[in-house]
Amino acid sequence: MLQFNPIDAALLFLESAGTPFHVSTVSVYDPSTCPGKPPSFEDIVEAVRVSLPAAPAFRRKIVRVAFDVDHPYWVEDKDFDLDFHMRHIALPKPGNWTQFREQVSRLISRPLDLARAPWEMTVIEGLDGIEGLPKGCFATVLKVHHCAVDGKTGVAIINALHQDSPDKMPAVIEDNWQPEAEPSSLSLMRRAAINSIRSPFVLVRPVLANATALVKSVFAQSSEDDIDLKAPPSMLNGPISAHRIFDYAVCSLEDMKRVRRSVEGATINDVCLTIVAQGMRRYLAAKKGLPKESLVTVVPISIRTPDSADATGNQIAITRVSMRTDIADPIERLRSITVQTGKKKAMQDGVVMSVLLKVVYKLPGALIGAVARAVPLVVANGSSFCNTMVTNVPGPATPIYFLGAKAVKLFGSPPLMDGGGVLHSVGSYNGQFMFSFVACRKMVPDADFYRECLEVAAQEVIAAADKVSAAADKESV
């Protein structure tokens, strides 16, 4: 039995009926590469079963302490049933992109059953009408609660399910898993009493009385650069509905690298932020809702080190970056973003989360919940935190295969919180760069147009970079 760390506890307490807090991975496969017949649903279930030892969280359930007076626990679920977590559906004809997107959007809108291991996988067939995909493709939608997985452990799960050749099958891993009996409420309360003695917290009433003020004060301490970093109100910020919409734009990784080379010191992540900023700028300008002040994004950072590679739980920090949407020229924006992120790297930033943890590590479970829920409220109340999130999870540079079927598309979908109507998950795979987004359907009712804004934004940034490079080449002649 393992106790949650404070970050995982906060991620669990952020869950509500309208804000399910799971992360999702959407993978599309072409079975024409299979050496034999295409995999059946039963084959996929068996492949997941073989890979379970590589994903310990997949057989653990959450046990919460009464009144959340202490952090929850992970317990190896004696009633674990793989078949419950595996789902199988097919799109009706013609099986086009709109149908697929709507089905994925419905899936990611639904909360997980937190009385069981907090994950599920849905296999979707019937994708024959999607332009650009070979006939016979199928997809998987893997949903895992954020308290059980961070970016790097999520990649580890994907790696366990995939191979680097269509001729290879999932490796059989020695399985030493043992189920556990669920602890009684009385024993958990006893543990909570002991933990409270070890880590007393005397500011209970002030925190409960004004958790939002605590969060504001913590973020104000994060760094000198962040003190003046104000996120302006926008039409994409406010209380969200329970309904989601998902889509993506794509460009080549080589184009991303070409843009990066146009500004000294720039990284691929800086280019990502520049393109997303350009897309949001286009969308909001078209709606006559572009703030004069720059939008601000949150950027998650993994703090998992080689020494903590096998440690359980999320190991993340967050920092804020001005997206410089107040700058019209894409390359000037990239230069400004590069200067910002360069300073934050030098400061070993991500201090926003680090400073918060100085408080959170001393809080009992119920107060972690109060503080965690106050974070989105700070945004929803129009205060200065962020307008969106851009998370970058690099994928494999070469093709990967699942039961012989080649992965042709890989997308990510982060959870939404009140205050943020659209979030972005970007990453590379096999020479492509995907700009996935998940949005509140009420705030972004026109996902097709938002995707178009991202697509045009990418081309505008690439064209601007090529112009700068051409001018530099001309001067050097």
Side-chain angles (χ1 to χ4, degrees):
M1 188 167 74
L2 298 171
Q3 190 167 26
F4 278 41
N5 69 37
I7 299 178
D8 295 338
L11 294 172
L12 175 62
F13 292 133
L14 281 169
E15 175 93 9
S16 71
T19 56
F21 221 70
H22 51 256
V23 294
S24 304
T25 300
V26 183
S27 309
V28 181
Y29 301 97
D30 175 12
S32 67
T33 59
C34 295
K37 64 179 182 178
S40 64
F41 177 66
E42 290 73 21
D43 294 331
I44 294 172
V45 172
E46 185 57 30
V48 174
R49 190 187 311 278
V50 169
S51 301
L52 285 175
F58 276 30
R59 289 185 287 196
R60 292 173 180 160
K61 65 184 293 186
I62 300 166
V63 177
R64 293 172 75 155
V65 182
F67 309 110
D68 289 328
V69 297
D70 200 2
H71 307 332
Y73 288 84
W74 289 114
V75 174
E76 306 296 338
D77 186 8
K78 62 182 179 62
D79 296 320
F80 175 76
D81 180 3
L82 178 60
D83 291 334
F84 172 83
H85 299 271
M86 302 293 298
R87 319 291 167 86
H88 186 200
I89 59 177
L91 299 180
K93 291 183 178 181
N96 58 31
W97 174 255
T98 300
Q99 291 173 301
F100 179 66
R101 182 184 66 187
E102 291 299 318
Q103 183 60 68
V104 172
S105 299
R106 283 192 289 269
L107 288 172
I108 64 178
S109 298
R110 297 173 188 164
L112 291 163
D113 183 352
L114 298 183
R116 299 174 181 260
W119 71 277
E120 65 182 43
M121 178 186 282
T122 302
V123 178
I124 306 177
E125 295 183 326
L127 281 57
D128 292 343
I130 297 180
E131 184 179 352
L133 290 185
K135 297 291 185 181
C137 283
F138 67 93
T140 62
V141 180
L142 176 62
K143 295 165 48 179
V144 187
H145 199 281
H146 206 330
C147 71
V149 62
D150 63 12
K152 286 208 169 182
T153 53
V155 170
I157 291 170
I158 297 299
N159 289 342
L161 288 171
H162 294 84
Q163 296 75 45
D164 58 7
S165 165
D167 300 320
K168 296 181 181 178
M169 291 294 107
V172 178
I173 307 170
E174 184 178 359
D175 192 359
N176 298 316
W177 181 74
Q178 293 293 329
E180 294 178 292
E182 187 171 332
S184 68
S185 297
L186 180 59
S187 68
L188 292 177
M189 291 298 285
R190 286 173 178 165
R191 286 172 178 258
I194 295 171
N195 289 340
S196 67
I197 294 172
R198 291 174 177 169
S199 181
F201 187 76
V202 295
L203 300 178
V204 172
R205 288 186 180 178
V207 174
L208 281 176
N210 202 345
T212 300
L214 171 65
V215 173
K216 287 182 179 179
S217 68
V218 166
F219 285 120
Q221 300 174 53
S222 61
S223 74
E224 291 183 3
D225 287 342
D226 281 344
I227 291 175
D228 296 324
L229 196 56
K230 308 296 184 184
S234 86
M235 61 184 295
L236 296 177
N237 299 107
I240 62 174
S241 73
H243 307 291
R244 306 286 179 265
I245 188 67
F246 152 86
D247 214 323
Y248 81 104
V250 64
C251 69
S252 76
L253 182 57
E254 185 52 46
D255 284 341
M256 298 286 290
K257 292 178 179 178
R258 203 161 73 246
V259 174
R260 180 192 64 191
R261 291 192 291 268
S262 70
V263 172
E264 185 177 358
T267 66
I268 289 292
N269 196 56
D270 297 332
V271 177
C272 290
L273 295 176
T274 302
I275 291 175
V276 172
Q278 184 82 355
M280 294 186 74
R281 179 185 163 89
R282 287 188 63 85
Y283 183 83
L284 290 171
K287 303 286 184 177
K288 302 187 185 307
L290 178 65
K292 292 181 180 179
E293 304 85 359
S294 175
L295 300 178
V296 175
T297 184
V298 160
V299 180
I301 303 167
S302 174
I303 55 175
R304 191 176 292 273
T305 64
D307 293 338
S308 62
D310 297 327
T312 59
N314 282 268
Q315 298 187 43
I316 55 174
I318 57 174
T319 190
R320 293 182 295 163
V321 177
S322 171
M323 303 179 79
R324 300 315 311 264
T325 50
D326 55 329
I327 298 176
D329 182 80
I331 300 304
E332 287 304 313
R333 184 185 311 119
L334 175 57
R335 288 194 180 100
S336 179
I337 289 174
T338 299
V339 169
Q340 283 185 77
T341 57
K343 287 181 180 179
K344 289 175 181 292
K345 291 186 189 77
M347 296 166 54
Q348 296 183 344
D349 216 334
V351 290
V352 170
M353 182 62 80
S354 302
V355 174
L356 182 59
L357 289 181
K358 291 179 182 178
V359 177
V360 169
Y361 266 95
K362 298 178 181 179
L363 294 175
L367 300 189
I368 286 182
V371 173
R373 286 185 290 272
V375 174
L377 288 176
V378 169
V379 184
N381 290 338
S383 191
S384 54
F385 181 49
C386 70
N387 300 105
T388 188
M389 180 182 76
V390 182
T391 178
N392 184 356
V393 182
T398 55
I400 57 175
Y401 300 83
F402 179 46
L403 295 175
K406 180 182 178 180
V408 291
K409 301 286 183 184
L410 296 177
F411 315 107
S413 170
L416 290 185
M417 293 190 295
D418 267 332
V422 58
L423 301 183
H424 306 82
S425 177
V426 298
S428 58
Y429 167 61
N430 191 30
Q432 292 185 317
F433 213 94
M434 308 288 185
F435 289 84
S436 307
F437 66 89
V438 60
C440 166
R441 189 184 291 268
K442 184 178 179 180
M443 285 191 187
V444 185
D446 47 359
D448 287 332
F449 179 57
Y450 193 82
R451 183 193 67 237
E452 179 185 323
C453 286
L454 286 175
E455 290 172 340
V456 174
Q459 295 309 310
E460 288 175 336
V461 173
I462 293 166
D466 287 344
K467 186 176 179 180
V468 168
S469 299
D473 290 343
K474 187 176 181 180
E475 288 181 4
S476 63
V477 173

